[in-house]
Amino acid sequence: MSSESSSTKPGRKAKSLGDEIAAAAEKLRKLQERQREQQRKERERNHRAVMELIKTERLDTVPSDLWREMMPKIKALLVVEPVKSAEQTRPVQEASCGKSE
């Protein structure tokens, strides 16, 4: 009786290794897309917040030439650097330790 029920019972089709890899790759692609979308939305929120801060502080009246001239100093004060993997925290620590003002 047990042999009859197991043969008539619809079982799961065994996925091939290639099918599993394709499914995992598709899931990874969807997750990466979701991550990119979240990062884009976060950048947009940050952009709006920064622009609102600039307007609130009335810095939107400062000429763009002056902004362009002062940008390297502003970046240095904000410790804005290109994203680096393991080295990212090191410049921040060095910059804060090196200031004697």
Side-chain angles (χ1 to χ4, degrees), residues 42-54:
E42 181 58 34
R43 279 192 309 271
E44 286 177 359
R45 279 191 292 274
N46 189 56
H47 182 269
R48 284 191 299 271
V50 169
M51 293 308 295
E52 185 61 35
L53 179 62
I54 287 173

Side-chain angles (χ1 to χ4, degrees), residues 1-95:
M1 183 165 159
S2 63
S3 64
E4 288 178 24
S5 64
S6 64
S7 64
T8 60
K9 186 177 179 181
R12 267 191 174 173
K13 245 186 176 177
K15 286 187 177 181
S16 71
L17 194 54
D19 290 342
E20 288 185 41
I21 291 171
E26 180 63 20
K27 184 175 181 179
L28 175 62
R29 186 192 64 76
K30 287 180 182 180
L31 288 171
Q32 288 172 331
E33 179 62 32
R34 195 166 93 194
Q35 182 182 39
R36 281 191 295 273
E37 184 66 21
Q38 286 175 347
Q39 289 170 344
R40 183 188 63 78
K41 286 180 180 180
E42 181 58 34
R43 279 192 309 271
E44 286 177 359
R45 279 191 292 274
N46 189 56
H47 182 269
R48 284 191 299 271
V50 169
M51 293 308 295
E52 185 61 35
L53 179 62
I54 287 173
K55 287 178 186 177
T56 301
E57 296 295 323
R58 305 198 40 84
L59 294 172
D60 56 340
T61 60
V62 176
S64 62
D65 292 340
L66 185 57
W67 276 103
R68 190 168 288 114
E69 179 183 325
M70 298 304 292
M71 196 53 65
K73 292 179 182 178
I74 294 169
K75 284 182 176 182
L77 287 172
L78 295 174
V79 192
V80 177
E81 296 182 23
V83 177
K84 298 177 184 173
S85 56
E87 296 178 30
Q88 186 175 7
T89 56
R90 228 180 311 172
V92 173
Q93 293 168 347
E94 290 172 4

